[in-house]
Amino acid sequence: MGTLLSRQSCQARLRSPEGMSLAEFLYPALQAYDFLHLHQQHGCRVQVGGADQMGNIMSGYELVTKMTGTDVFGITVPLITSTTGDKLGKTAGNAVWLNREKTSPFELYQFFVRQQDNVVEKYLKLFTFLPLEEIDHIMEMHAKEPEKWGPQKRLAAEVTKLVHGREGLESAKRCTKALYYSSMEALEAMSDQELQELFKQAPSAELLLEPGMNVLDLCRKANAIPDGPSGYQKITDGGVSINGIRVTNPETVLILGQHILKNGVSLLRIGKKNYYIIKWLQL
């Protein structure tokens, strides 16, 4: 109790208007017993955690050494933060996962390619196996051509390849080209899994291509625009794109290879961010 109460972090929370819950106060003791159990049952002698876990790791170190007399060790690593400086993690809801089902290769790639100049060199040293001389050269080139974002792209590529392999890196690059560069070639090469990962919230529809079917028909069958004049005007005002190409004539007949890709998919965008995935049947 004395050790827990004496910690600055604990005192600060106790003095705050929110106070401190019993569960939060006892957390260091529970984590300490975790370390003791792992040591006794599995021979664990090293606990690794973020820099903010120093107090909890110290509790485990003290408990294990007092109970067993064995030398154990704790290692802390610098916290990785978001571009706004917030801690990354499950509690904050912004964790970056190694599991593809939770963080796709594209999302992992984009997380690292968006890093700011003031952290990218540190991340290259932390998360890649590039020689220090090569990292120095990358940073020197960046100083001459900062607009190319060379270190960020190399960091994103190295980490994505390390986690998901070369296939995962290629997937991330395809998704990047499709979303940010409106590449029809990249869209045509994308698998169903990649489409779902890239447009997680996008509704999807399966449609039959009917003779003479036009842009207005497509938008209405996909429930992407309202009925009546307002939906028609949405197209004429330039608010509709198909496969990255803006269409302004509602009567334009759909063309294979342009509006409908070789993989039987159309990517419909309404406005700036509302996507619809159209899968064509019996082409």
Side-chain angles (χ1 to χ4, degrees), residues 233-252:
Q233 187 176 352
K234 186 77 172 177
I235 301 173
T236 58
D237 287 346
V240 174
S241 296
I242 301 176
N243 300 328
I245 301 173
R246 183 174 294 173
V247 289
T248 55
N249 182 1
E251 309 299 332
T252 298

Side-chain angles (χ1 to χ4, degrees), residues 72-116:
V72 291
F73 306 90
I75 300 174
T76 61
V77 295
L79 286 177
I80 306 304
T81 57
S82 67
T83 53
T84 59
D86 297 323
K87 174 184 172 182
L88 295 176
K90 292 180 290 184
T91 305
N94 58 359
V96 179
W97 300 87
L98 302 182
N99 186 332
R100 180 170 185 157
E101 293 182 3
K102 294 186 176 182
T103 299
S104 69
F106 167 75
E107 291 169 325
L108 185 69
Y109 183 90
Q110 287 299 318
F111 171 78
F112 283 103
V113 89
R114 290 174 183 156
Q115 295 304 314
Q116 301 300 313

Side-chain angles (χ1 to χ4, degrees), residues 174-234:
R174 275 195 299 274
C175 292
T176 298
K177 289 178 181 177
L179 185 62
Y180 296 119
Y181 299 96
S182 300
S183 169
M184 288 182 62
E185 183 181 348
L187 269 174
E188 285 182 329
M190 288 175 67
S191 65
D192 286 348
Q193 182 184 21
E194 288 171 342
L195 284 168
Q196 292 299 325
E197 288 174 346
L198 186 56
F199 305 102
K200 286 184 177 179
Q201 307 302 321
S204 61
E206 294 183 343
L207 301 178
L208 282 170
L209 180 62
E210 301 169 0
M213 192 171 181
N214 59 31
V215 172
L216 181 63
D217 297 329
L218 166 61
C219 293
R220 286 182 172 165
K221 285 179 180 292
N223 295 317
I225 60 172
D227 292 331
S230 61
Y232 193 95
Q233 187 176 352
K234 186 77 172 177

Side-chain angles (χ1 to χ4, degrees), residues 12-273:
R13 289 301 305 274
L14 289 171
R15 287 195 297 266
S16 69
E18 297 81 13
M20 192 176 194
S21 69
L22 179 62
E24 188 177 0
F25 178 70
L26 290 176
Y27 190 89
L30 296 173
Q31 186 166 321
Y33 272 97
D34 279 345
F35 195 5
L36 177 64
H37 175 80
L38 289 170
H39 175 68
Q40 291 178 330
Q41 300 299 319
H42 303 284
C44 177
R45 295 181 63 195
V46 180
Q47 186 173 184
V48 182
D52 63 332
Q53 295 294 307
M54 174 65 82
N56 296 336
I57 292 174
M58 283 299 299
S59 295
Y61 165 80
E62 292 167 1
L63 180 64
V64 175
T65 52
K66 285 179 182 177
M67 294 285 288
T68 68
T70 308
D71 285 334
V72 291
F73 306 90
I75 300 174
T76 61
V77 295
L79 286 177
I80 306 304
T81 57
S82 67
T83 53
T84 59
D86 297 323
K87 174 184 172 182
L88 295 176
K90 292 180 290 184
T91 305
N94 58 359
V96 179
W97 300 87
L98 302 182
N99 186 332
R100 180 170 185 157
E101 293 182 3
K102 294 186 176 182
T103 299
S104 69
F106 167 75
E107 291 169 325
L108 185 69
Y109 183 90
Q110 287 299 318
F111 171 78
F112 283 103
V113 89
R114 290 174 183 156
Q115 295 304 314
Q116 301 300 313
D117 286 352
N118 60 343
V119 298
V120 68
E121 183 176 2
K122 179 176 75 171
Y123 285 5
L124 279 166
K125 294 175 179 177
L126 280 173
F127 296 124
T128 78
F129 292 101
L130 295 175
L132 294 179
E133 296 80 7
E134 187 173 351
I135 293 175
D136 291 339
H137 176 69
I138 291 170
M139 298 310 299
E140 287 172 9
M141 296 301 296
H142 181 57
K144 296 176 183 177
E145 299 175 308
E147 70 280 359
K148 292 187 176 181
W149 287 62
Q152 285 87 347
K153 291 178 180 178
R154 186 62 183 277
L155 170 66
E158 292 292 327
V159 175
T160 306
K161 185 167 63 175
L162 182 67
V163 176
H164 295 293
R166 185 166 295 279
E167 184 180 337
L169 174 58
E170 293 304 318
S171 171
K173 288 182 175 180
R174 275 195 299 274
C175 292
T176 298
K177 289 178 181 177
L179 185 62
Y180 296 119
Y181 299 96
S182 300
S183 169
M184 288 182 62
E185 183 181 348
L187 269 174
E188 285 182 329
M190 288 175 67
S191 65
D192 286 348
Q193 182 184 21
E194 288 171 342
L195 284 168
Q196 292 299 325
E197 288 174 346
L198 186 56
F199 305 102
K200 286 184 177 179
Q201 307 302 321
S204 61
E206 294 183 343
L207 301 178
L208 282 170
L209 180 62
E210 301 169 0
M213 192 171 181
N214 59 31
V215 172
L216 181 63
D217 297 329
L218 166 61
C219 293
R220 286 182 172 165
K221 285 179 180 292
N223 295 317
I225 60 172
D227 292 331
S230 61
Y232 193 95
Q233 187 176 352
K234 186 77 172 177
I235 301 173
T236 58
D237 287 346
V240 174
S241 296
I242 301 176
N243 300 328
I245 301 173
R246 183 174 294 173
V247 289
T248 55
N249 182 1
E251 309 299 332
T252 298
V253 176
L254 300 180
I255 301 172
L256 285 169
Q258 180 180 340
H259 303 109
I260 302 171
L261 301 176
K262 294 176 183 177
N263 56 357
V265 169
S266 295
L267 183 64
L268 178 63
R269 190 183 75 192
I270 309 297
K272 291 184 177 180
K273 296 182 179 180

